[in-house]
Amino acid sequence: MKKDFILELKNVTKYYGDELVFSDVNLQVKKGDVISITGKSGCGKSTLLKCLNRLENINEGEIKFKGIDISKISPIELRQKIGIVFQDYNLFEHLTVLDNLVIGLLKIKKYPRNESVRLALDILRKVDLIDKKDKYPDELSGGQKQRVAIARTLLMKPDIILLDEPTSALDKEMKDSVLKLIKELVDDNMTLVIVSHESEFIAKVSDNIYTLNNYGLEER
Ligand SMILES: Nc1ncnc2c1ncn2[C@@H]1O[C@H](COP(=O)(O)OP(=O)(O)O)[C@@H](O)[C@H]1O
Ligand SMILES: [Mg+2]
């Protein structure tokens, strides 16, 4: 195991019950890499991302984060280091934008409230949503919600961010605002694993593009 890979998958195989999702997935990711994964609907892209931060268990093979088998890392710790952004945002509908951001800092990072609010306001400026801080998710557009979801992940200071079809629920203008933010993450040298069908965008930003099928990842 070489130290320079931040994430390494070896012959990873996943079943749901008796149903094989994929087998023999191999992947090596270095710090700062932007890896994109495409593939047909239902081929297991979301499942693969969930395996990377232990939202799903694997059946065979090995996943290492900074050289350590992830089954040896607690899910709470791992999910701070490998953040995930879902297609449908997963925001808390009963909390304001600001509180959606503050809650993770209070509950997971155990930061004091004033420090949490300060960090959350800083990140809202970065994602250009400071004027929405007191709004609820259902008062935002899809693109704004997704930017809040990305901001929430960024606040955990992850080493890697997994993006699962971050723009597929959005129409054209909203897509552009989210892609612009993802491009900023790329420019900030964030390590990203992106599942996306935005072929033009991923061609521009990715170091490697793979297609997933049930016998592994194929480089394009
Ligand atoms: N929790 C689950 N339990 C059982 N089967 C699942 C579960 N999640 C997804 N699947 C099935 O696994 C396959 C891969 O799903 P998914 O990872 O969501 O694919 P993709 O993201 O590429 O569209 C699909 O056939 C899907 O129906
Ligand atoms: Mg999916």
Side-chain angles (χ1 to χ4, degrees):
M1 173 76 204
K2 292 184 201 74
K3 272 230 182 67
D4 35 333
F5 294 121
I6 187 166
L7 190 66
E8 192 169 26
L9 283 72
K10 263 194 206 147
N11 300 320
V12 172
T13 296
K14 171 69 184 171
Y15 289 86
Y16 283 120
D18 295 335
E19 203 73 31
L20 175 70
V21 188
F22 46 74
S23 62
D24 288 317
V25 170
N26 292 289
L27 179 67
Q28 293 173 326
V29 182
K30 290 201 291 277
K31 193 173 172 336
D33 275 354
V34 177
I35 304 292
S36 291
I37 298 173
T38 62
K40 289 197 209 97
S41 174
C43 73
K45 302 177 298 296
S46 297
T47 300
L48 179 60
L49 293 189
K50 287 178 189 163
C51 290
L52 299 180
N53 71 356
R54 296 193 61 190
L55 290 169
E56 283 290 344
N57 292 319
I58 62 173
N59 297 90
E60 287 161 39
E62 187 176 55
I63 302 176
K64 285 184 170 180
F65 171 71
K66 293 186 172 175
I68 300 167
D69 190 320
I70 64 166
S71 66
K72 308 277 191 293
I73 306 173
S74 81
I76 287 183
E77 191 187 340
L78 188 67
R79 286 171 206 158
Q80 291 176 58
K81 297 187 165 151
I82 305 181
I84 189 163
V85 174
F86 298 99
Q87 173 180 349
D88 51 3
Y89 335 115
N90 276 17
L91 299 176
F92 297 111
E93 295 294 329
H94 64 291
L95 295 181
T96 63
V97 165
L98 184 62
D99 283 337
N100 262 280
L101 299 180
V102 164
I103 192 169
L105 295 172
L106 291 175
K107 301 236 155 143
I108 298 170
K109 294 277 192 199
K110 313 279 185 207
Y111 289 173
R113 177 147 193 111
N114 57 352
E115 173 73 354
S116 301
V117 169
R118 190 182 64 76
L119 291 169
L121 292 174
D122 282 350
I123 208 92
L124 279 174
R125 277 184 209 102
K126 178 177 163 69
V127 301
D128 207 12
L129 287 173
I130 191 73
D131 57 325
K132 304 288 184 200
K133 69 182 171 61
D134 298 319
K135 301 280 183 200
Y136 287 84
D138 70 0
E139 298 174 284
L140 304 183
S141 72
Q144 291 167 341
K145 281 192 255 201
Q146 192 57 293
R147 276 146 58 207
V148 174
I150 293 171
R152 182 176 58 177
T153 301
L154 281 173
L155 274 178
M156 293 291 119
K157 297 254 173 240
D159 291 296
I160 305 175
I161 297 180
L162 315 174
L163 297 156
D164 191 2
E165 305 205 38
T167 60
S168 60
L170 306 177
D171 63 27
K172 174 79 175 80
E173 290 111 277
M174 294 190 215
K175 263 185 193 164
D176 289 344
S177 73
V178 172
L179 293 178
K180 181 170 161 272
L181 176 56
I182 297 171
K183 178 66 170 61
E184 285 173 26
L185 303 182
V186 172
D187 293 342
D188 288 347
N189 216 26
M190 177 57 82
T191 309
L192 299 176
V193 180
I194 310 174
V195 168
S196 175
H197 299 288
E198 302 285 339
S199 41
E200 210 178 297
F201 179 76
I202 63 175
K204 227 180 325 176
V205 301
S206 305
D207 295 291
N208 301 92
I209 302 175
Y210 299 91
T211 304
L212 178 66
N213 51 47
N214 53 14
Y215 46 87
L217 279 177
E218 202 175 302
E219 186 153 13
R220 284 219 309 219

